[in-house]
Amino acid sequence: MRNKRNEEKRGCLGSIIKKEVKELLTWETILPIVMIVVIFGMMGGVYSGVEEDVEEEPIIGLINNDGSGTYTDILIDTLDGGAELVYNRTDEDGDLGELIDEGLEEVGNEGGAALLIIPLGFNDTIALGEERASIRVIWILEGVGTFDSIPTGSVSGLLEVARSKITRELVGGDGGNVDTILAPFEYKSNETTMIKGGNPVNAGPGDIIGALATQSMLIPIMIMIVIMFSGGNVITSMGLEKENKTLETLLTLPVKRRSIITGKIVGSSAVGLAMALIYMLAYGFFMRGFYSSSDLNLEEIGLSLGIVGYLILAISISLAVLGALALCLVLGSFAKNYKSAQMLNGPLVALTMVPMFITMFKDFSTLPLTGKIVLFAIPFSHPMIASRALLFGDYLLPLSGLAYMAFFTLVMILIAVKIFNSDHLLVGRVKKEEEGKKRGIRFGLKSRIKPD
Amino acid sequence: MAKSVLEVKDLVKYYGPLKAVNGLSFEVKENEIFGLIGPNGAGKTTTLRVISTILQITSGLVRVFGYELPRQAGEVRRIISYLPEDAGAYKNMTGKVYLGFMASFFGNGGKTREIVQEGIKIADLGRRINDRVDTYSKGMMRRLLVGRALMTDPRLAILDEPTSGLDVINAKEIRDIIKNATKEGTTVLLSSHNMLEVEFLCDRIALIDEGKIVEEGKPQELKKKYKASNIEEVFVEAVR
């Protein structure tokens, strides 16, 4: 008998979960996710294209009016080695003005970035060492987008390389150790960073922060997305129940209120997690290009999570999602319809965005006291804080966060159950028009279904 | 004499400072159609919602088939079926899927299929039962919802304005469905502000005004008592 009753309960819960998932997985909800994936895919493609542009040799033209010489040759060799010379002339080939017009046309036709003119006396000016020599550069810019400056930037880079080579040639000419003269001391190969008052790591702060950047960005964003998707789903679900006038019927079915609440939470979080996973895969693919350059292995320098760390982080994320969903059920009970449900997402957005931005750019331990209190009070901060604290072996903060989130979630669930057992879900607040008068009682703006 | 299946005694319901139901008392006998009749705002829907377990009782007693509210709300929900006045269905479901979803709360497997078949029969929407409910007309939606409310063979069906907003033909069909349900052993408690309609449908009625019952009895007896030609005239005389 008890087994049969349990089976029925599971059936009811399963039905509610299935209904929630079906209701939330519509084209209206799937399409934005697909769009995001496509956009990230396209952006990834653009960045791949940019990387190819950076790796590709820029196209240039050159007019050499200086003939040959040590420094002129260094410049020409550098340009020739790092760029594709599609136009190469000397003053013997004609009038300079005509050569420039011709060169610009040819380089432009080839999609080139610049025409360089080495003036007469370039080599001698450098050799004399009394004043700076100069070359003339005519840039060809086909677009004004950020990435359109890549070819011209590559040419600038080549000129820097040539300048450095000429400097070495000049210094080397005096017989000294060129590297020592150019950089008399170094610290990069022998630096240690003391992180958070302990844990010496044999790397510079920039390298460490760079290596942690992916994690610093991805975890807060991931948590924010999961909470916002799942929480938004719960609020929307409540709004739809009210808009479609289905809530009253649902509440008279032989199913416990807590099963309705559980069904809504499980269904919404399943959809939210699935959407967040798809989103994160696309985002991870997009972000990979930005942070792949770090050579620092976090495991080797002792900055990785152990089993306990992962366990605490998993519990922390689960509690944050559960707490958010319970909060959203409470918020959703105020929704009158789908539109007002979207408005109620506001507090949730604020409560996830604030900790996300703070933890992306600052560590909990370096925040001022007020900042620490605010961040700790926001329950969704804790997985974000924990992900970093656990890396440095700090268990106290994540464990306190777990206790706080458990308390918050419990309170929210109790409030949600109380609301589902009360009149509030169906009947809005009734307020008096004038204090102390029994007449003139009206149903306030929050009334949803007027009593008859 | 038929036994009483629903007892409402001195029911009072407040919404904040507003008294919506003011000491309401009535009984409903087994297999009868009992109508709560009154104008908008009289307290009909509030009373039905209280009996349907979705609103709390401020004071008084409500007993359904011996189960007392709110203590035994779970048991009451197993034997009643409530049709709200402006109820809707999940727009992304077809009529059949909606009936299946609702039936899943009353049984598993074969039992669910049986309930759904009954719902399809009552709703009588033909092939349109396989279409999404957001394509239904108001009449079709109401028939689907009446089918949903009666497909589980509830011991007490609570119907709030079951024919509200329907045209003459649809309203008559719904009335026929309700009458048939009582033949299958269902007791019906309904509300309406259409006083002419309830004359044809209800075995007994209670006239409500400002949260109180002003008169109760069989329509014919009430008409005789007030020497009125219809219930509308009875109501006017009773509240005077």
Side-chain angles (χ1 to χ4, degrees):
Chain A
M1 187 72 179
R2 180 175 281 184
N3 282 344
K4 200 179 170 191
R5 186 67 64 87
N6 285 339
E7 211 172 277
E8 274 177 21
K9 273 183 195 170
R10 277 199 299 275
C12 293
L13 185 60
S15 293
I16 295 172
I17 294 170
K18 208 167 133 188
K19 189 267 292 179
E20 290 298 323
V21 171
K22 266 189 175 176
E23 203 169 35
L24 295 169
L25 274 184
T26 60
W27 280 114
E28 290 87 347
T29 54
I30 294 170
L31 215 57
I33 302 297
V34 174
M35 290 291 287
I36 287 168
V37 172
V38 170
I39 288 166
F40 275 137
M42 282 169 65
M43 284 172 81
V46 168
Y47 279 109
S48 302
V50 169
E51 279 174 15
E52 280 166 20
D53 281 357
V54 172
E55 284 165 14
E56 213 173 82
E57 288 185 343
I59 294 166
I60 58 167
L62 179 69
I63 301 170
N64 179 10
N65 287 336
D66 196 38
S68 183
T70 309
Y71 307 116
T72 306
D73 290 347
I74 290 174
L75 175 61
I76 291 171
D77 287 348
T78 306
L79 291 172
D80 201 19
E84 189 186 341
L85 267 174
V86 293
Y87 182 81
N88 195 357
R89 300 283 188 277
T90 64
D91 57 347
E92 289 168 4
D93 294 323
D95 175 65
L96 182 62
E98 283 172 9
L99 288 175
I100 289 174
D101 288 343
E102 187 187 72
L104 281 175
E105 194 183 339
E106 274 196 37
V107 175
N109 288 342
E110 294 290 330
L115 177 68
L116 290 86
I117 301 128
I118 304 174
L120 183 67
F122 174 80
N123 193 75
D124 293 346
T125 308
I126 295 172
L128 280 171
E130 287 177 359
E131 58 183 87
R132 280 183 164 180
S134 70
I135 62 165
R136 188 177 170 200
V137 184
I138 303 173
W139 299 108
I140 301 168
L141 202 55
E142 291 296 338
V144 290
T146 310
F147 299 152
D148 293 323
S149 67
I150 289 170
T152 54
S154 300
V155 178
S156 294
L158 280 175
L159 292 173
E160 286 299 326
V161 171
R163 190 149 64 176
S164 173
K165 281 183 179 174
I166 292 170
T167 306
R168 282 170 179 274
E169 184 62 29
L170 285 166
V171 175
D174 291 334
N177 185 327
V178 180
D179 290 331
T180 308
I181 292 168
L182 291 175
F185 72 92
E186 63 116 0
Y187 63 94
K188 283 277 179 192
S189 62
N190 193 25
E191 58 186 345
T192 301
T193 306
M194 304 296 290
I195 307 170
K196 297 177 143 195
N199 303 319
V201 174
N202 292 331
D207 292 334
I208 294 167
I209 290 169
L212 288 170
T214 310
Q215 184 230 37
S216 297
M217 297 280 284
L218 278 183
I219 290 183
I221 291 173
M222 185 196 81
I223 291 161
M224 186 269 294
I225 291 168
V226 171
I227 288 174
M228 276 180 52
F229 272 133
S230 308
N233 285 341
V234 169
I235 296 178
T236 302
S237 159
M238 290 296 294
L240 285 172
E241 291 275 9
K242 296 216 178 142
E243 186 171 296
N244 295 338
K245 314 273 185 197
T246 48
L247 188 62
E248 263 183 285
T249 309
L250 190 66
L251 292 174
T252 59
L253 293 173
V255 56
K256 292 214 178 293
R257 299 291 194 257
R258 60 171 180 268
S259 293
I260 298 174
I261 292 172
T262 310
K264 284 195 174 293
I265 286 179
V266 173
S268 303
S269 56
V271 173
L273 280 170
M275 286 180 171
L277 193 70
I278 296 167
Y279 181 86
M280 287 313 296
L281 283 175
Y283 189 75
F285 169 73
F286 166 72
M287 290 292 284
R288 208 167 43 197
F290 285 90
Y291 299 108
S292 56
S293 57
S294 176
D295 295 328
L296 206 60
N297 187 328
L298 290 173
E299 263 183 56
E300 278 176 17
I301 59 171
L303 292 181
S304 62
L305 292 182
I307 293 171
V308 178
Y310 276 114
L311 192 68
I312 293 174
L313 189 60
I315 297 171
S316 185
I317 293 172
S318 309
L319 271 178
V321 172
L322 203 62
L325 294 177
L327 169 70
C328 290
L329 264 183
V330 175
L331 287 174
S333 72
F334 292 95
K336 284 181 277 185
N337 47 38
Y338 181 78
K339 206 173 171 183
S340 71
Q342 303 312 305
M343 296 287 286
L344 286 162
N345 274 321
L348 186 72
V349 172
L351 287 174
T352 49
M353 295 288 255
V354 168
M356 182 193 79
F357 281 116
I358 294 176
T359 53
M360 268 166 76
F361 300 111
K362 283 287 278 179
D363 199 290
F364 184 81
S365 57
T366 57
L367 285 171
L369 184 64
T370 323
K372 282 181 183 172
I373 292 169
V374 170
L375 202 59
F376 194 93
I378 299 172
F380 318 130
S381 311
H382 292 282
M384 304 178 193
I385 297 170
S387 68
R388 198 175 288 163
L390 289 166
L391 274 181
F392 297 99
D394 178 2
Y395 287 90
L396 184 66
L397 192 57
L399 289 174
S400 332
L402 286 189
Y404 175 69
M405 279 193 294
F407 173 74
F408 175 83
T409 306
L410 187 70
V411 170
M412 282 301 136
I413 288 176
L414 287 175
I415 294 173
V417 171
K418 197 169 168 57
I419 287 174
F420 269 73
N421 277 319
S422 74
D423 298 351
H424 169 81
L425 214 52
L426 296 177
V427 185
R429 190 157 56 95
V430 181
K431 53 185 177 185
K432 293 176 187 177
E433 276 194 338
E434 285 179 57
E435 196 64 35
K437 284 189 178 178
K438 284 204 170 180
R439 283 184 137 201
I441 291 166
R442 67 184 173 86
F443 285 85
L445 287 174
K446 290 186 177 177
S447 291
R448 286 173 285 284
I449 302 168
K450 66 168 188 171
D452 190 353
Chain B
M1 189 181 172
K3 68 171 182 178
S4 175
V5 295
L6 171 65
E7 294 169 64
V8 178
K9 206 171 172 187
D10 301 325
L11 178 67
V12 174
K13 175 64 188 172
Y14 275 95
Y15 292 111
L18 178 73
K19 201 176 203 177
V21 177
N22 185 11
L24 210 70
S25 297
F26 64 93
E27 286 186 358
V28 178
K29 309 283 182 202
E30 193 163 26
N31 276 358
E32 76 172 342
I33 301 178
F34 188 91
L36 290 177
I37 320 300
N40 293 332
K44 305 185 299 286
T45 296
T46 300
T47 306
L48 298 191
R49 282 181 176 173
V50 167
I51 299 165
S52 306
T53 77
I54 52 176
L55 288 184
Q56 304 296 307
I57 297 169
T58 305
S59 70
L61 175 98
V62 176
R63 199 178 281 145
V64 184
F65 283 91
Y67 296 117
E68 203 177 307
L69 291 178
R71 196 167 47 86
Q72 293 171 297
E75 281 80 1
V76 171
R77 283 185 204 122
R78 286 179 192 282
I79 55 172
I80 64 158
S81 189
Y82 174 53
L83 175 66
E85 181 186 358
D86 51 0
Y90 298 104
K91 286 179 181 173
N92 60 328
M93 293 182 184
T94 65
K96 193 176 176 182
V97 169
Y98 173 70
L99 293 178
F101 169 66
M102 288 296 173
S104 68
F105 294 95
F106 295 89
N108 296 316
K111 172 81 176 157
T112 307
R113 278 192 291 276
E114 242 174 63
I115 295 172
V116 173
Q117 283 312 311
E118 183 64 18
I120 292 172
K121 199 174 114 191
I122 297 169
D124 193 23
L125 291 169
R127 285 183 180 174
R128 293 297 308 274
I129 196 74
N130 294 312
D131 290 341
R132 276 168 62 121
V133 296
D134 57 0
T135 64
Y136 287 5
S137 67
K138 192 171 182 180
M140 289 168 73
M141 175 68 90
R142 204 62 183 160
R143 282 163 69 147
L144 176 74
L145 293 171
V146 170
R148 191 277 301 161
L150 299 175
M151 69 182 177
T152 54
D153 286 333
R155 293 179 76 184
L156 175 65
I158 302 162
L159 313 174
D160 193 1
E161 305 276 2
T163 61
S164 165
L166 297 184
D167 60 44
V168 179
I169 293 168
N170 273 307
K172 187 182 179 308
E173 282 177 359
I174 297 285
R175 282 199 293 271
D176 290 343
I177 292 169
I178 294 168
K179 281 225 171 205
N180 278 335
T182 55
K183 288 176 192 161
E184 306 286 327
T186 297
T187 304
V188 177
L189 168 66
L190 60 83
S191 79
S192 179
H193 61 264
N194 183 342
M195 301 191 194
L196 297 174
E197 175 184 85
V198 294
E199 271 191 71
F200 303 112
L201 194 58
C202 298
D203 299 311
R204 285 193 312 126
I205 56 172
L207 305 179
I208 305 185
D209 189 39
E210 293 179 350
K212 280 190 277 194
I213 288 183
V214 290
E215 193 56 88
E216 186 183 338
K218 291 182 178 172
Q220 292 304 324
E221 289 172 359
L222 292 176
K223 281 197 287 186
K224 205 171 165 186
K225 182 178 169 183
Y226 286 91
K227 296 185 178 68
S229 59
N230 56 51
I231 298 297
E232 208 167 72
E233 287 175 15
V234 172
F235 185 82
V236 173
E237 286 301 315
V239 296
R240 185 170 285 171

